[in-house]
């Protein structure tokens, strides 16, 4: 059974990211790790790395994300979402045009302050641990990028998995860089409107190349595991991260297997102007090629060095 690879999980509400990793660890019988925290009350795409693929979690986390969020106007909370303690509440009468105008100002590069209820660490301590103790600390703004934002109807949001559980006024679809907090974005839009806002329901529809329509629910994965079919949902790492593929020649095989630098003329096809490649062993008779790992071109352009050995 394949135990090294990545599963595109549909995380449902009520599970933490760590919960999902623990379930898959037990189901697959190997180590498992998630690729970026998704709030317990959020749902959607959460890739889980299994076995040696856990070494590649950072590569997956580096990808852009896409979300659909419900925006509840006139409410502010300590968590920036509707699960937190309400700080202020007021009546609002914001038109669709005014909301769109305010929201679109956040498209592009932004300096965003992480919410206190987040997994960001300050002084070695997670912010949400400090927040639960009633401590508020200064947070350094982080550079994020909102590539695109669309204002959706409730029907359009529901088609993407966000039904609007909190009676929100508007729905936004956001394509953004890693590290973007949609809760903070909703709060910032509310502040710009002068009425305050909190995030209602949140669905992550994309994480890098992992899409919502291909994500598998936890119950289905448990059933597949019990039936001995979990491997059907495990994606090989070299199909998930679309780097070029190459084979090391026999003369350079020992160097590659030891994680040493391999001269590029010992690789076929010889890489030119390629920053990273999946490197394979040669095939022998009936023995298939095996993936050695992810290699990158050295700064001198003469050899490839191991980044991740698999």
């Amino acid at each position: 059974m394949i135990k090294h690879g990545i599963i595109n999980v549909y995380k449902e509400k009520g599970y933490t990211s760590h919960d999902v990793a623990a379930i898959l660890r037990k189901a697959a019988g190997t180590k498992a790790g998630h690729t970026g925290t998704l709030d317990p009350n959020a749902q959607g795409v959460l890739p889980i790395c299994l076995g040696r693929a856990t070494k590649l979690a950072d590569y997956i986390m580096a990808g852009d994300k896409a979300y659909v969020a419900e925006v509840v106007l006139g409410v502010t909370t300590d968590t920036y979402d509707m699960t937190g303690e309400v700080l202020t509440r007021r009546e609002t009468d914001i038109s669709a045009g005014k909301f769109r105008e305010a929201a679109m100002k956040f498209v592009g590069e932004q300096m965003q302050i992480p919410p206190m209820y987040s997994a960001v660490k300050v002084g070695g301590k997670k912010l949400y641990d400090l927040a639960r103790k009633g401590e508020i600390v200064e947070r350094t703004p982080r550079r994020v990028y909102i590539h695109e934002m669309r204002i959706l109807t409730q029907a359009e949001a529901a088609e993407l998995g966000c039904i609007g559980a909190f009676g929100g006024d508007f729905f936004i679809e956001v394509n953004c860089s890693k590290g973007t907090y949609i809760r903070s974005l909703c709060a910032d839009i509310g502040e710009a409107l002068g009425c305050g806002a909190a995030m209602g329901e949140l669905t992550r529809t994309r994480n890098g190349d992992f899409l919502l329509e291909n994500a598998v629910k936890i119950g289905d994965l448990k059933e597949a595991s019990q039936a001995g079919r979990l491997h059907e949902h495990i994606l090989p790492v070299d199909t998930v991260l679309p780097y070029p593929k190459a084979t090391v020649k026999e003369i350079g095989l020992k160097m590659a297997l030891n994680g040493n630098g391999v001269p590029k003329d010992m690789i076929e096809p010889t890489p030119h102007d390629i920053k990273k490649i999946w490197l394979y062993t040669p095939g022998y008779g009936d023995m298939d090629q095996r993936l050695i790992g992810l290699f990158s071109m050295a700064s001198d352009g003469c050899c490839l060095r191991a980044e991740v050995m698999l």
Side-chain angles (χ1 to χ4, degrees):
M1 179 184 293
I2 300 173
K3 290 187 177 180
H4 308 286
I6 302 166
I7 297 181
N8 183 14
V9 179
Y10 184 102
K11 190 194 86 65
E12 295 154 280
K13 295 178 184 178
Y15 292 96
T16 68
S17 299
H18 291 288
D19 290 339
V20 179
I23 291 169
L24 269 295
R25 187 179 304 119
K26 181 177 180 180
T30 187
K31 59 184 176 180
H34 64 77
T35 54
T37 302
L38 189 58
D39 290 347
N41 291 295
Q43 59 200 1
V45 175
L46 181 68
I48 298 292
C49 298
L50 300 177
R52 289 190 292 271
T54 54
K55 299 178 181 179
L56 294 163
D58 287 345
Y59 292 82
I60 296 171
M61 284 192 280
D64 289 340
K65 313 291 190 293
Y67 299 89
V68 175
E70 175 188 18
V71 184
V72 183
L73 297 179
V75 179
T76 63
T77 72
D78 59 349
T79 59
Y80 297 177
D81 65 18
M82 293 300 292
T83 67
E85 180 181 348
V86 175
L87 303 177
T88 63
R89 190 185 294 273
R90 59 179 293 183
E91 293 294 324
T92 63
D93 185 20
I94 304 296
S95 68
K98 188 174 181 180
F99 178 83
R100 178 184 296 275
E101 181 182 2
M104 290 305 167
K105 290 179 181 178
F106 291 91
V107 175
E109 188 177 276
Q110 305 289 330
M111 296 302 294
Q112 189 180 73
I113 299 176
M116 275 301 303
Y117 283 87
S118 65
V120 174
K121 289 185 177 181
V122 173
K125 297 180 180 180
K126 291 182 178 179
L127 286 176
Y128 60 68
D129 288 332
L130 297 173
R132 287 166 183 160
K133 296 177 182 178
E135 298 181 34
I136 305 295
V137 298
E138 184 176 351
R139 288 97 73 198
T140 302
R142 307 190 331 173
R143 194 180 308 277
V144 299
Y145 202 95
I146 308 296
H147 300 294
E148 182 183 11
M149 191 188 310
R150 289 200 305 140
I151 314 302
L152 304 179
T153 65
Q154 186 170 5
E156 289 172 330
E159 287 182 5
L160 294 170
C162 185
I163 62 173
F166 296 91
D169 303 86
F170 295 98
F171 295 84
I172 55 175
E173 182 181 28
V174 182
N175 290 293
C176 56
S177 64
K178 72 167 187 174
T180 303
Y181 279 93
I182 306 301
R183 285 181 287 143
S184 293
L185 174 62
C186 292
D188 289 343
I189 293 172
E191 184 176 353
L193 287 166
C195 62
M199 186 186 77
E201 191 175 9
L202 178 70
T203 300
R204 183 155 67 191
T205 59
R206 180 173 63 86
N207 184 345
D209 290 332
F210 294 90
L211 305 177
L212 186 69
E213 54 262 39
N214 301 324
V216 185
K217 291 187 175 181
I218 294 169
D220 294 333
L221 292 170
K222 287 180 177 178
E223 289 182 9
S225 176
Q226 292 168 357
R229 296 185 291 101
L230 185 63
H231 62 280
E232 296 176 2
H233 300 289
I234 302 177
L235 305 171
V237 294
D238 56 347
T239 64
V240 171
L241 295 170
Y243 300 118
K245 301 177 182 180
T247 301
V248 62
K249 298 178 183 178
E250 184 69 34
I251 189 174
L253 179 59
K254 186 175 181 179
M255 287 184 283
L257 291 174
N258 288 333
N260 297 327
V262 182
K264 67 179 184 180
D265 60 3
M266 295 184 184
I267 308 295
E268 53 184 8
T270 302
H272 295 286
D273 301 322
I274 292 177
K275 294 182 179 180
K276 299 182 192 294
I277 63 168
W278 293 114
L279 191 60
Y280 291 79
T281 66
Y284 300 100
D286 296 333
M287 185 179 295
D288 293 334
Q289 292 180 297
R290 291 188 300 112
L291 178 62
I292 300 172
L294 182 64
F295 283 64
S296 61
M297 186 66 72
S299 57
D300 60 12
C302 294
C303 71
L304 289 105
R305 301 190 184 280
E307 277 196 23
V308 180
M309 294 293 291
L310 297 169

